[in-house]
């Protein structure tokens, strides 16, 4: 049988304060609610609780030290299972089986319920501990396993936070709302949509992958777009149709625009995690047709800007 002193990691001459301190530390570390995926922790938690039950009772501790009971509180009966120091009751000394306790009695912690309650109040914030009405020290039933999913979301849907339909392994189809600030690797937990278990179903965990776009690029919460424009649109200005994540819009190209000029479309980017949306940054690229004889003749005869050096700022 396990030695309660060794279970709690205290010396045989340890005082009540040292025993209680050792138990508090182990109970907090091994508590089943904090180790839902580790059944061995629940077993150790039950063991340290039983050890504290024995050592915190002065009478039981004295009887154990004298060799009258073992580490589980059973009377030692070297000549068979019968009468002995416990007066014929083989379960005497074990609070869980004392006569008259009844099925709803203070099973397992006779005489120490108040002490255990105070310890759990300190560790877990009152209410007699997190066990509710079940036997103290009993491990909670395990929930079912979580189920992982990967969800591909289009660039536009992620930017506009359009809801997604998700088919689960349990046969259900749900509508998943995308969170602000969504990006590849963002996870959404769906409580109770995992595998069934004795303690209730587990959860579904959806990992989102934002698919790349063929012409939109993400930059933080902003969206970048390179927009080709004709020479006449750049020189004379005009309205052009521009694609955005929310659909196409008409944008005015300023007169005399050059390649590299950036137009900002407010609120056409990704939703920010805090509030608001980013912008769409449109970079103009003047598209010059090749082999256009008329254009070549026009430029060849044009003398108005021949004397200007647009590279002067580069020192050349």
């Amino acid at each position: 049988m396990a030695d309660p002193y060794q279970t709690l990691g205290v010396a045989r001459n340890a005082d009540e304060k040292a025993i209680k301190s050792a138990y508090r530390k182990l109970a907090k570390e091994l508590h089943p609610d904090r180790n839902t995926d580790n059944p061995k922790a629940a077993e150790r938690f039950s063991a340290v609780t039983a050890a504290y039950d024995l050592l915190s009772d002065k009478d039981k501790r004295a009887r154990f030290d004298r060799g009258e009971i073992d580490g589980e509180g059973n009377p030692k009966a070297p000549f068979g299972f019968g009468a002995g120091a416990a007066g014929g009751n083989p379960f005497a000394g074990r609070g869980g089986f004392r006569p008259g306790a009844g099925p709803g009695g203070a099973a397992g912690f006779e005489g120490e319920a108040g002490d255990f309650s105070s310890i759990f109040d300190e560790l877990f914030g009152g209410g007699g501990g997190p066990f509710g009405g079940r036997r103290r020290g009993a491990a909670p039933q395990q929930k079912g396993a979580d189920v992982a999913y990967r969800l591909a979301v289009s660039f536009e849907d992620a930017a506009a936070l359009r809801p997604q339909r998700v088919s689960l392994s349990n046969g259900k189809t749900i509508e998943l709302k995308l969170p602000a600030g969504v990006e590849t690797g963002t996870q959404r937990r769906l409580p109770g949509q995992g595998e069934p278990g004795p303690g209730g179903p587990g959860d579904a965990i959806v990992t989102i992958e934002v698919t790349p776009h063929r012409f939109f690029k993400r930059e933080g919460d902003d969206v970048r777009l390179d927009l080709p424009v004709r020479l006449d649109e750049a020189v004379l200005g005009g309205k052009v149709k521009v694609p955005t994540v929310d659909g196409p819009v008409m944008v005015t190209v300023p007169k005399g625009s050059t390649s590299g000029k950036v137009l900002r479309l407010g609120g056409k980017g990704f939703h920010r995690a805090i509030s608001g949306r980013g912008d769409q940054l449109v970079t103009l690229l003047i598209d010059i047709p090749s082999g256009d004889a008329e254009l070549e003749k026009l430029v060849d005869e044009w003398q108005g800007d021949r004397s200007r050096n647009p590279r002067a700022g580069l020192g050349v």
Side-chain angles (χ1 to χ4, degrees):
M1 297 299 176
D3 185 318
Y5 292 104
Q6 294 180 1
T7 301
L8 292 180
V10 297
R12 285 187 170 271
N13 61 352
D15 59 17
E16 293 180 9
K17 182 178 179 181
I19 292 172
K20 187 172 184 177
S21 176
Y23 174 68
R24 282 167 49 86
K25 179 180 178 182
L26 291 171
K28 187 173 184 179
E29 174 186 340
L30 301 171
H31 190 275
D33 287 355
R34 297 185 176 184
N35 297 272
T36 55
D37 298 327
N38 186 0
K40 290 186 177 180
E43 294 175 6
R44 287 194 60 202
F45 180 82
S46 296
V48 299
T49 300
Y52 181 72
D53 174 36
L54 189 148
L55 296 182
S56 62
D57 185 307
K58 294 181 180 180
D59 179 62
K60 289 181 183 179
R61 181 179 180 182
R63 294 178 65 199
F64 175 80
D65 291 342
R66 292 194 300 267
E68 296 175 4
I69 59 175
D70 62 19
E72 294 186 355
N74 297 319
K76 292 186 177 180
F79 298 105
F81 191 73
N89 177 7
F91 300 108
R94 300 183 69 184
F97 298 95
R98 76 185 193 284
F109 303 104
E110 179 181 1
E112 298 298 328
D115 194 23
F116 275 89
S117 179
S118 66
I119 289 177
F120 283 116
D121 283 349
E122 295 174 20
L123 290 176
F124 302 102
F131 298 103
R134 71 175 181 265
R135 179 182 179 271
R136 300 185 192 276
Q141 291 183 313
Q142 292 291 317
K143 292 177 62 177
D146 293 340
V147 180
Y149 298 86
R150 300 196 77 83
L151 176 64
V153 179
S154 72
F155 189 97
E156 296 99 321
D157 284 355
L161 297 186
R162 297 186 182 100
Q164 304 293 301
R165 301 282 288 178
V166 181
S167 296
L168 304 177
S169 61
N170 59 13
K172 296 180 180 179
T173 299
I174 65 167
E175 186 174 88
L176 179 70
K177 292 183 178 180
L178 301 179
V182 63
E183 60 186 359
T184 293
T186 296
Q187 290 189 331
R188 301 292 284 170
R189 181 177 290 271
L190 308 177
Q193 299 297 332
E195 295 292 336
D203 301 334
I205 301 175
V206 182
T207 301
I208 295 170
E209 292 183 356
V210 180
T211 58
H213 198 275
R214 65 189 183 93
F215 49 76
F216 289 131
K217 303 293 182 184
R218 183 170 184 173
E219 188 176 275
D221 292 317
D222 294 332
V223 174
R224 281 197 170 272
L225 170 70
D226 290 338
L227 182 71
V229 294
R230 299 192 311 267
L231 178 62
D232 62 297
E233 291 172 333
V235 173
L236 303 176
K239 287 186 176 294
V240 298
K241 186 179 290 187
V242 177
T244 75
V245 293
D246 296 322
V249 297
M250 296 302 295
V251 174
T252 299
V253 176
K255 184 178 181 179
S257 293
T258 60
S259 285
K261 184 178 182 63
V262 177
L263 308 179
R264 182 179 294 270
L265 308 183
K268 294 296 183 181
F270 278 75
H271 288 258
R272 297 189 179 98
I274 301 175
S275 63
R277 290 183 68 171
D279 302 329
Q280 180 168 314
L281 305 178
V282 180
T283 301
L284 301 181
L285 300 177
I286 300 177
D287 183 38
I288 304 294
S290 61
D292 189 322
E294 184 178 357
L295 178 61
E296 291 174 1
K297 181 181 178 180
L298 175 65
V299 172
D300 184 58
E301 295 176 351
W302 179 57
Q303 301 294 325
D305 199 37
R306 291 290 180 90
S307 61
R308 184 175 67 88
N309 179 11
R311 295 167 293 281
L314 302 178
V316 294

